[in-house]
Amino acid sequence: MSRFQIPASPLSSDAEFLRRVCLDLTGTLPPPGRVREFIASRDPQKRTKLIDALLDSPEYVDYWTFRFGRLFRVAAGAVGGAEHAYTYWRWVWENIAQNKSYREIARERLAAQGYGGASRHFLSYGEEAKAADIMPEEVRVFLGRRLDCAQCHDHPYEQWSQDQFWGLASFFGQISRTEWTGFGAAVLFDDPAGRQPDFGESAETVKVIHPRRKQLVKPAFLEGQAIASEGIGHPRREFARWVTEHPYFAETLVNRMWGHLFGRGLVDPVDDFRSTNPPTHPDLLKALAEDCRRNGYDLKQILRRITSSRTYQLASSPRESNRQDTLNYSHFIPKPLEAEVLLDAISQVTGVPEVFENGPGGQAPPGTRAIQLEVPDIYPSDFLQMYGRPNLLQIPETKTSPSLNQALHMLVGKTYTEKISRKGGRLDQLIQKDASHGEVIQELYLAALSRFPSPLELAELESVLGKSSDKRRAWEDLVWSLITSREFAFNH
Amino acid sequence: MMRNAGCLTVTPELLKRRHFLRVGSLSLLGISLPQFLNFRSLQAAGAKDSRKQGKAQACILVWLEGGPSHVDTWDPKPNSSFRPISTNVAGIQVSELLPRVAGQMDKLALLRSVHTEENNHGQGTYYALTGHRPTAAMQFPSLGTIVTKELGARNNVPANVLVPDTWKTASYGQYTKGAFLDPAYDPMVVPDPSKEDFQISDLALPKSLTVERLRDRRSLLKLVDRMYRSKIERAEHLAMDRFTQQALQMILTPETRQAFDLSREPEKIREAYGRGSFGQSLLLARRLVEAGARFVTAAGHELNGWDTHSDNDERHKDKMVPGLDRALPTLLEDLEQRGLLDSTVVIVMGEFGRSPHHNSKAGRDHWPHCWSLAIGGGGIRGGQVVGASDERGAYVAERMISMGDLYATIYKALGIDWTKEYMSPIGRPVKIANALDDETGQPIEELI
């Protein structure tokens, strides 16, 4: 920044920081009590302590299971059935709950055999996925490179060649499965003789054949070397070793985390590292990656490191002189809440949980939050669809962007009307307490925006609400305006 | 700014990257880059006119979910259990299951040599709706969003609509979206119009909400959001303001809601389309197009409805084809009577055809290698057959037709330059009419 003489904005206020870091680490708004307490605390270490408390919370586990579930495409449609997807989800959940080293997670995922959760992503529509589909996905997830183009031709502006693509794909060429022994229980293993054709398949289609040379391809790493002879029986274990020892591995991980926290990776999109898409801050990326390696690929440590930084804790309001800057982290750039987080936040503020239905009569256990859905795609949701729930058969990273459907829904849709008027929610509690307009305004501001209203806001709102003859109605209108505000819909 | 230069949409970025070498090599011919660009734009100016002659205004995609058997419908063969019958166009025969469609054959052209490349429902649907094979690396915009983007919205009516919302359970709804295009072009998804309680919930004020109260709420919102908005300006905030304005207009304009109100149709018409989800979706499509919509996907069949892996013949004969044979001719007649047929392209297809042979369960399996679809209206010349399959309907015998060619034909009818390319966020140019082997699709000459 100093090179470009872009001045930084000042440090964020406590309230601003609290809301931001709660949303980023736990996907959950702080309850009013926590906001009051945090703002009032005079402990100079309170930000650090807050970060630690959040990283140890059950919401952290829910939220990061959700996030990695998305990265790893945990969905019934992606692996061929809800039961596979649930096993897969469970594996992600356990890893996050134990804060397992990401390196270990990657190794398990890449080398998985058997019928455990880590192996389920090798299934596509319940069959073994094709090597040419698996490999680029693993490289995209763990090494942040998109090799897909090289499947059919040498990459147009990168060094990847078609030979490299097929050499890498060949590591996955032996994946086979046992016959079905009941739904969800197919055992995956590497068959040294190569995958055998199923009924209706030809030998040609299950082997890793170079499309141009029409020859069987042997496993070879990106740099061209083949597997050492002792590893030949376990090509995926060799692949896992290569991936997790590659310098790209840590860089990709820290960049993903950075991208989550700042709404933009140092390399962006976060899975598109290439020479023509260089990092904005290469030294920072290197340093973070080095730190990640030193700390044993500890996910919490990466999050702690970044959220403790001054850069992360800057205010989001720009100065006149850094308004145009979107690349240099001179101020925090607001990002839209993800669909699931937004829906949960609305449920939290209104005090009316969402009901996730799954066909006639079926529903997720009452009180289940959107980020807690184990197999999300079996619960259709207009709201989530509208706000950009990704299709996990396609690329999982999507950004929420405004739409006409959202605007219609915000004005008259049921999430923004029924939840507010439903009995038994937060408003009813306030009515029972016989709260004053002022108290209600304050409580709702704390719940929705994680801050106290300014004296001016309080005075103006009190005067508007005071004019209404119907108290409940006036408060409902206030809740509506809070949850439809941009301040609410964004993390800033 | 993108500049349209005919065959490719030239952006500075594109010139820098992919086409740099190609442009660079022109210097061997003694042509400089500015000359080249000039030449391209001149070429474009000439070409542009002929590419933009189409007069059609809207498009209805009649979606046959699951993939109908072509040999039992559009392309009758000896290996079908059903006989071919004559149509009102001499020389064209269809399956005996389609007697009423046969009477409207002059309005439809049959493409009997369609070849696609995906053999499963998800991927096949993706391919049919976007013209691209699915890849994990990026998403491609759907035909509907491209048409919507190119033609723009009219009359406060949603420009792109998907009806009904069955697809939300199958993630297929995603395939109808615009991927990297502005989300404004994504389809509005509406519930099953054949249901008693059919209404577009987000288009009308609920009982608890009056216009005055909505106004109160909006002024309260201004107050609440003032501090934040004064500090932070973002394009997304402005976009949301714009959508909110548009949404308000739609909610407060009765015409918008009326376009969705099937109870305004005479009982006779509702019957004629068939009271099921498929028929009523087609009727709604006609109403919406009449009101100003640009692209309506009418996908009223149950999930995998046409996916007859068992009992293919019975299911075609008793369950699936009768509804099609009722609703489709009604739609064509209805459009014609209202003077909308010439301005509305109607496409009738699923994600693939079905195998020429029966399997062990008397079913037919997925068959993308060669299948048929029907297209008409919007200036497309009906009453003809393009392409031919072999004697069993298994493979293309004559003139392979790709999705790219179909798209190009539709674009041409709508006056959209089919050679356009969009630039994806990762700098990959994406053809709006993508044919096999990454070629640009070509309009089918016989049709338009």
Side-chain angles (χ1 to χ4, degrees):
Chain A
M1 264 191 318
S2 59
R3 173 150 47 113
F4 300 114
Q5 301 190 331
I6 303 172
S9 287
L11 206 61
S12 54
S13 70
D14 281 345
E16 198 178 6
F17 170 71
L18 173 67
R19 187 176 196 270
R20 182 187 302 165
V21 78
C22 284
L23 285 169
D24 278 342
L25 295 185
T26 65
T28 309
L29 288 173
R34 177 167 236 160
V35 184
R36 284 204 176 88
E37 191 189 335
F38 187 76
I39 292 175
S41 165
R42 315 193 69 152
D43 184 345
Q45 297 297 314
K46 67 179 179 179
R47 292 197 180 195
T48 316
K49 286 181 182 166
L50 173 68
I51 293 170
D52 286 340
L54 292 173
L55 290 174
D56 283 333
S57 66
E59 288 83 5
Y60 168 87
V61 179
D62 288 336
Y63 184 56
W64 285 88
T65 302
F66 160 75
R67 291 215 58 80
F68 278 100
R70 179 164 288 183
L71 173 64
F72 291 163
R73 308 194 196 212
V74 177
V79 295
E83 301 193 28
H84 292 306
Y86 176 76
T87 323
Y88 189 16
W89 175 86
R90 184 83 208 166
W91 172 74
V92 178
W93 186 88
E94 279 165 6
N95 285 336
I96 299 298
Q98 295 165 18
N99 196 33
K100 195 184 280 172
S101 156
Y102 191 63
R103 193 174 193 179
E104 199 45 47
I105 297 176
R107 280 194 192 127
E108 280 181 23
R109 176 178 152 98
L110 291 168
Q113 316 242 14
Y115 55 85
S119 69
R120 300 296 88 178
H121 66 102
F122 292 123
L123 295 172
S124 159
Y125 298 92
E127 308 279 331
E128 307 94 311
K130 292 195 190 98
D133 290 335
I134 299 171
M135 185 282 291
E137 171 66 0
E138 304 299 353
V139 168
R140 193 183 72 77
V141 167
F142 291 120
L143 301 181
R145 267 77 182 165
R146 297 180 181 179
L147 299 190
D148 308 70
C149 309
Q151 181 173 355
C152 312
H153 50 76
D154 292 350
H155 197 293
Y157 34 78
E158 289 299 307
Q159 67 269 39
W160 317 126
S161 69
Q162 196 180 6
D163 291 351
Q164 282 174 313
F165 179 95
W166 288 96
L168 274 184
S170 179
F171 282 95
F172 297 91
Q174 299 182 2
I175 297 183
S176 305
R177 71 170 160 80
T178 57
E179 284 306 311
W180 297 103
T181 53
F183 197 61
V187 173
L188 283 180
F189 62 100
D190 274 7
D191 185 339
R195 196 184 140 194
Q196 302 303 311
D198 274 341
F199 177 74
E201 285 179 325
S202 67
E204 186 82 349
T205 58
V206 301
K207 292 208 161 56
V208 182
I209 308 271
H210 193 295
R212 221 158 14 88
R213 302 184 206 285
K214 311 287 179 209
Q215 285 163 346
L216 195 66
V217 189
K218 288 214 178 70
F221 296 113
L222 211 49
E223 295 84 1
Q225 72 278 29
I227 332 178
S229 55
E230 68 271 18
I232 283 176
H234 300 286
R236 284 189 290 128
R237 202 189 291 166
E238 296 303 306
F239 186 84
R241 193 204 316 266
W242 173 75
V243 164
T244 54
E245 283 171 4
H246 204 288
Y248 293 169
F249 180 69
E251 283 184 11
T252 303
L253 173 60
V254 294
N255 186 57
R256 256 184 214 291
M257 296 302 221
W258 185 278
H260 167 67
L261 295 170
F262 289 95
R264 184 182 199 291
L266 293 165
V267 170
D268 199 80
V270 292
D271 55 7
D272 197 17
F273 280 69
R274 55 189 148 85
S275 56
T276 42
N277 184 29
T280 51
H281 299 72
D283 295 340
L284 176 59
L285 181 64
K286 277 217 173 63
L288 286 168
E290 182 50 40
D291 189 59
C292 164
R293 274 190 288 269
R294 246 198 335 265
N295 286 299
Y297 303 85
D298 177 337
L299 297 173
K300 288 190 183 178
Q301 188 52 35
I302 300 168
L303 291 167
R304 186 179 288 118
R305 182 75 78 209
I306 301 177
T307 53
S308 305
S309 71
R310 187 179 168 79
T311 309
Y312 178 79
Q313 297 191 10
L314 288 178
S316 55
S317 48
R319 292 174 189 275
E320 205 41 62
S321 45
N322 67 22
R323 195 171 290 275
Q324 302 300 324
D325 170 39
T326 54
L327 290 182
N328 290 291
Y329 306 102
S330 61
H331 55 282
F332 192 85
I333 309 275
K335 50 200 180 180
L337 302 190
E338 295 149 290
E340 290 82 356
V341 173
L342 180 63
L343 182 55
D344 286 346
I346 293 172
S347 302
Q348 203 182 333
V349 172
T350 54
V352 177
E354 182 77 4
V355 178
F356 293 99
E357 288 175 345
N358 170 20
Q363 64 173 60
T368 305
R369 300 174 54 194
I371 60 166
Q372 290 172 324
L373 293 174
E374 294 141 356
V375 183
D377 59 333
I378 61 172
Y379 300 101
S381 159
D382 290 336
F383 184 93
L384 295 181
Q385 199 79 2
M386 203 180 299
Y387 282 84
R389 166 192 247 186
N391 166 10
L392 294 180
L393 287 173
Q394 286 277 315
I395 197 158
E397 277 91 11
T398 53
K399 286 183 179 160
T400 296
S401 45
S403 73
L404 179 60
N405 282 4
Q406 289 169 19
L408 287 165
H409 194 69
M410 196 179 91
L411 291 168
V412 294
K414 68 176 182 213
T415 315
Y416 290 96
T417 53
E418 284 175 22
K419 264 193 201 289
I420 295 172
S421 54
R422 183 93 45 87
K423 294 281 179 270
R426 190 184 295 270
L427 274 187
D428 280 329
Q429 291 166 16
L430 290 168
I431 286 170
Q432 271 158 25
K433 274 198 249 167
D434 203 21
S436 69
H437 284 311
E439 285 164 345
V440 169
I441 295 167
Q442 193 179 81
E443 187 70 10
L444 292 175
Y445 261 74
L446 291 172
L449 306 178
S450 318
R451 67 174 175 89
F452 288 101
S454 74
L456 179 64
E457 285 173 327
L458 187 62
E460 286 182 333
L461 287 170
E462 269 183 321
S463 114
V464 175
L465 299 186
K467 281 185 202 131
S468 171
S469 53
D470 181 343
K471 204 148 84 165
R472 184 177 170 104
R473 182 187 145 141
W475 293 354
E476 284 181 6
D477 292 349
L478 177 62
V479 174
W480 183 86
S481 63
L482 281 164
I483 62 177
T484 57
S485 70
R486 295 302 87 198
E487 182 171 355
F488 179 77
F490 277 71
N491 185 359
H492 37 84
Chain B
M1 273 296 284
M2 286 204 177
R3 192 154 71 90
N4 189 326
C7 291
L8 82 153
T9 303
V10 179
T11 64
E13 197 178 24
L14 177 59
L15 286 174
K16 248 188 323 218
R17 290 190 180 152
R18 201 170 184 182
H19 290 262
F20 179 75
L21 288 175
R22 203 183 293 171
V23 175
S25 65
L26 289 168
S27 59
L28 293 177
L29 302 171
I31 304 173
S32 70
L33 181 60
Q35 278 173 329
F36 168 77
L37 289 176
N38 197 22
F39 170 68
R40 292 300 286 254
S41 58
L42 285 175
Q43 204 185 23
K48 221 170 178 171
D49 293 333
S50 70
R51 286 193 197 127
K52 294 206 162 176
Q53 277 166 358
K55 294 281 187 292
Q57 296 294 313
C59 190
I60 296 174
L61 172 59
V62 181
W63 184 255
L64 307 181
E65 168 74 35
S69 168
H70 51 290
V71 298
D72 299 318
T73 51
W74 306 122
D75 192 8
K77 296 285 173 181
N79 44 315
S80 166
S81 313
F82 306 108
R83 285 180 309 116
I85 54 168
S86 303
T87 65
N88 72 349
V89 177
I92 301 183
Q93 291 190 313
V94 293
S95 161
E96 62 177 331
L97 299 180
L98 289 165
R100 298 194 53 212
V101 171
Q104 303 280 333
M105 205 61 240
D106 56 318
K107 299 192 179 69
L108 287 174
L110 299 179
L111 313 186
R112 284 183 175 160
S113 54
V114 178
H115 171 84
T116 52
E117 308 212 307
E118 292 289 350
N119 199 24
N120 255 319
H121 296 291
Q123 295 92 325
T125 304
Y126 188 85
Y127 189 80
L129 295 177
T130 66
H132 289 267
R133 302 184 75 162
T135 95
M138 68 177 292
Q139 281 185 295
F140 297 93
S142 69
L143 174 66
T145 56
I146 294 169
V147 168
T148 306
K149 174 178 156 67
E150 296 298 327
L151 298 184
R154 295 183 290 181
N155 313 348
N156 281 330
V157 174
N160 187 4
V161 177
L162 167 61
V163 55
D165 57 1
T166 331
W167 274 0
K168 73 184 175 188
T169 46
S171 4
Y172 294 180
Q174 293 279 348
Y175 309 162
T176 61
K177 291 195 169 189
F180 55 83
L181 301 182
D182 191 318
Y185 310 125
D186 287 349
M188 174 166 187
V189 185
V190 306
D192 182 349
S194 69
K195 294 269 159 61
E196 258 329 291
D197 58 355
F198 168 69
Q199 59 156 352
I200 312 297
S201 48
D202 290 2
L203 262 190
L205 290 167
K207 285 192 196 79
S208 58
L209 209 56
T210 58
V211 179
E212 294 71 45
R213 190 163 180 204
L214 194 57
R215 196 178 303 136
D216 288 351
R217 286 186 169 188
R218 303 235 317 132
S219 58
L220 216 47
L221 169 60
K222 248 187 207 124
L223 231 165
V224 166
D225 226 6
R226 187 181 55 200
M227 194 155 97
Y228 176 78
R229 296 291 297 264
S230 71
K231 282 192 298 192
I232 290 164
E233 293 162 13
R234 293 194 60 76
E236 293 116 304
H237 297 344
L238 298 175
M240 199 61 198
D241 292 346
R242 212 175 63 223
F243 284 130
T244 307
Q245 272 312 325
Q246 208 183 332
L248 261 179
Q249 258 165 19
M250 287 171 71
I251 292 164
L252 302 177
T253 313
E255 286 77 17
T256 311
R257 227 168 320 135
Q258 284 164 11
F260 287 92
D261 186 358
L262 290 188
S263 70
R264 294 175 164 264
E265 289 289 329
E267 207 47 31
K268 208 176 72 202
I269 294 277
R270 294 197 72 174
E271 276 310 315
Y273 275 89
R275 295 307 289 241
S277 172
F278 179 67
Q280 298 299 298
S281 296
L282 282 198
L283 173 56
L284 183 66
R286 192 225 78 210
R287 274 190 79 81
L288 290 172
V289 161
E290 197 172 25
R294 296 298 195 176
F295 196 96
V296 183
T297 307
H301 291 300
E302 64 190 71
L303 220 49
N304 297 343
W306 290 87
D307 194 25
T308 49
H309 287 289
S310 58
D311 305 320
N312 172 78
D313 297 351
E314 287 73 21
R315 283 171 66 188
H316 270 72
K317 175 166 164 282
D318 301 332
K319 214 173 154 211
M320 304 310 296
V321 189
L324 175 65
D325 192 48
R326 176 174 194 152
L328 179 60
T330 306
L331 173 72
L332 295 171
E333 269 178 306
D334 198 7
L335 286 171
E336 187 176 44
Q337 275 170 19
R338 289 162 188 272
L340 290 168
L341 189 60
D342 286 341
S343 61
T344 309
V345 180
V346 178
I347 314 145
V348 188
M349 64 190 253
E351 62 267 46
F352 34 56
R354 306 207 74 81
S355 55
H357 51 277
H358 285 87
N359 63 22
S360 56
K361 288 178 283 184
R364 293 185 189 270
D365 301 322
H366 307 168
W367 199 262
H369 314 291
C370 177
W371 49 285
S372 308
L373 62 84
I375 182 169
I380 284 169
R381 280 188 289 278
Q384 51 173 335
V385 171
V386 182
S389 59
D390 61 17
E391 73 264 16
R392 303 180 63 242
Y395 297 99
V396 174
E398 232 174 74
R399 174 126 189 216
M400 184 178 285
I401 295 168
S402 70
M403 278 297 120
D405 300 332
L406 173 69
Y407 282 23
T409 307
I410 297 166
Y411 295 141
K412 187 171 183 189
L414 293 163
I416 298 168
D417 178 0
W418 62 90
T419 60
K420 247 189 200 177
E421 296 184 357
Y422 293 157
M423 191 54 74
S424 84
I426 60 162
R428 171 179 164 174
V430 173
K431 292 184 165 66
I432 65 170
N434 185 52
L436 303 170
D437 300 323
D438 285 331
E439 293 295 322
T440 299
Q442 290 304 320
I444 300 164
E445 278 167 28
E446 296 89 325
L447 296 187
I448 186 145

